[in-house]
Amino acid sequence: LLQSASFIDAKAECTKIADVEALVQRAENITFPRKQQAEWFEEYHTYNEIVNWYKELCQRYSSICSYKLSIGESIEGRDQPAVHISGSSRSEMKIYFQCQIHAREWISGATCMYIANYLLESYGTNNRVTTLLDQVEIIFVPFVNPDGYVYTWNGDRLWRKNRRMNSGSTCRGVDLNRNYPDHWGEGGSSSNPCSETYMGSSEESEPETQNTINYFKGNGPIIGAVDWHSFSQLILRPYGWTRADCPDETKLRQLGDDMRDVIRSVHGMVYTSQKSIDLYSTTGTASDWFYSDGAAENNGGYRAAGYTIELRDTGRYGFNLPPDQIIPTGEEMIPAVMLFAEQLLEDPIPI
């Protein structure tokens, strides 16, 4: 019996290794167009520069890219634009990416731009990208928090929240990633307006949160969604509010582990795949809401696989990640994004 069990364990381990090798091979087959190394990705950019860049990008690839001026306005009246990329008007399934929810996490917005640019440049010349975009539409919301982002350029570089004037307090801002209507206010956030994790006066109190929720709900069926962050090199899956496993824990854990493996195959960067609560308790977060019953309602019979991805690095530079890391960060996310979309397209989560 011991010999038989050892044989079974060895066989299972070989199968696991073979699966990882297959994922790595798929990552190695991804090529990066020369234009992807353009000067644009050698530095960070202001809100206005980024808005204009997305507009011009969709004009350049107008047959497969559409630009929406605004899904709504921020607390200070700035537009929150959206970009849709699809090779076919018949694409039913959708993947949703939202960026720059925390103002100081500049690499999150830069990575979203890198991914969008890669997909558009590769369509029609890269068979894998072409096949994917002919089957799925990918939606980007470049700025969840435009006001906060602008403030990191002309005020406080390490500002996190939005720029709401909180009644009865001299402290400004709400943490938009504690303001979503999923177990809001149940812990892992603060009721103190001066706190970095201030959850707001009520769930979905902020226009930025409301706008992204309404846009998500109006664009189903969305089968997968990522809220892009930095830093710590983490792939976080539900839940953040409880240690109990979500109903799709096995599937979401495997998908997170697969993304971790292909990321490492590019530049050797080590990411950790884990449940959000294994980092710390959070409530009212975007990624938990993506997976929630509220988001699944009227989503074409599907539940979105919701993730938070914390990008480079692990603390040496933190939020001040040097611009020379924009391109390598984007490069290692490409195979993860491809795998994420392909696996969910093949096997979406039914309600």
Side-chain angles (χ1 to χ4, degrees):
L1 286 174
L2 287 174
Q3 190 174 28
S4 175
S6 298
F7 174 77
I8 291 171
D9 289 345
K11 184 177 179 182
E13 185 63 24
C14 288
T15 300
K16 181 179 179 182
I17 291 171
D19 289 343
V20 171
E21 288 176 344
L23 290 172
V24 170
Q25 182 61 49
R26 292 175 71 185
E28 290 175 346
N29 288 336
I30 290 177
T31 58
F32 298 100
R34 284 186 180 181
K35 292 180 182 178
Q36 194 68 23
Q37 312 303 327
E39 291 181 1
W40 177 262
F41 293 106
E42 294 177 358
E43 59 184 351
Y44 293 105
H45 298 276
T46 67
Y47 167 80
N48 287 333
E49 288 172 343
I50 293 170
V51 167
N52 289 331
W53 181 85
Y54 272 111
K55 287 180 183 177
E56 292 171 3
L57 189 71
C58 282
Q59 289 171 359
R60 191 182 318 141
Y61 297 99
S62 58
S63 63
I64 58 172
C65 184
S66 63
Y67 178 85
K68 184 176 178 64
L69 175 64
S70 184
I71 67 171
E73 292 185 348
S74 66
I75 195 77
E76 291 185 340
R78 291 184 177 87
D79 289 321
Q80 293 176 271
V83 170
H84 293 241
I85 299 174
S86 177
S88 172
S89 59
R90 298 184 300 276
S91 299
E92 178 184 357
M93 303 296 192
K94 298 174 184 178
I95 298 292
Y96 176 91
F97 294 148
Q98 65 176 36
C99 327
Q100 215 67 66
I101 191 170
H102 286 152
R104 62 193 177 193
E105 298 168 11
W106 288 8
I107 189 62
S108 70
T111 300
C112 287
M113 287 187 284
Y114 191 96
I115 295 167
N117 191 60
Y118 173 83
L119 294 172
L120 291 168
E121 285 195 348
S122 300
Y123 183 81
T125 60
N126 180 301
N127 289 337
R128 188 177 172 194
V129 172
T130 304
T131 299
L132 177 66
L133 290 180
D134 281 344
Q135 298 177 79
V136 69
E137 179 178 339
I138 300 183
I139 302 169
F140 292 83
V141 175
F143 288 103
V144 178
N145 184 8
D147 301 340
Y149 185 72
V150 169
Y151 188 63
T152 62
W153 280 83
N154 58 29
D156 180 357
R157 171 64 183 86
L158 295 180
W159 187 258
R160 169 184 169 102
K161 301 183 286 183
N162 75 351
R163 294 294 293 162
R164 172 177 287 281
M165 295 287 294
N166 292 309
S167 178
S169 174
T170 58
C171 297
R172 295 186 66 164
V174 170
D175 183 351
L176 299 176
N177 203 35
R178 299 295 186 275
N179 192 238
Y180 281 78
D182 185 71
H183 296 272
W184 178 85
E186 294 181 14
S189 59
S190 175
S191 59
N192 180 357
C194 297
S195 169
E196 292 270 57
T197 59
Y198 176 50
M199 61 190 178
S201 58
S202 62
E203 66 178 33
E204 205 178 337
S205 61
E206 304 310 291
E208 299 93 340
T209 313
Q210 296 165 17
N211 296 338
T212 56
I213 287 172
N214 292 337
Y215 204 65
F216 185 102
K217 287 183 173 182
N219 277 282
I222 292 172
I223 56 175
V226 176
D227 191 32
W228 295 90
H229 286 256
S230 75
F231 58 95
S232 289
Q233 296 177 194
L234 300 171
I235 300 168
L236 303 176
R237 62 183 183 272
Y239 293 118
W241 56 273
T242 177
R243 292 201 172 275
D245 288 346
C246 73
D248 300 287
E249 164 64 12
T250 299
K251 179 183 180 68
L252 295 181
R253 181 182 66 247
Q254 186 61 58
L255 180 53
D257 290 352
D258 288 348
M259 288 193 285
R260 172 201 64 199
D261 292 340
V262 295
I263 289 169
R264 187 170 187 175
S265 73
V266 179
H267 295 299
M269 299 303 289
V270 177
Y271 278 63
T272 300
S273 169
Q274 64 185 50
K275 291 196 291 187
S276 292
I277 199 167
D278 291 337
L279 180 63
Y280 45 68
S281 175
T282 56
T283 58
T285 64
S287 57
D288 272 357
W289 181 81
F290 293 154
Y291 180 75
S292 71
D293 290 341
E297 185 179 1
N298 300 319
N299 193 41
Y302 297 101
R303 185 182 301 278
Y307 287 83
T308 294
I309 295 184
E310 299 275 359
L311 298 163
R312 292 188 184 194
D313 57 6
T314 56
R316 179 182 179 185
Y317 297 107
F319 302 117
N320 287 301
L321 193 71
D324 64 8
Q325 294 200 38
I326 294 172
I327 289 175
T329 301
E331 288 176 340
E332 65 199 12
M333 286 303 117
I334 294 299
V337 164
M338 295 295 295
L339 183 146
F340 178 74
E342 289 167 344
Q343 287 197 9
L344 289 171
L345 188 61
E346 182 179 339
D347 187 23
I349 301 172
I351 293 177

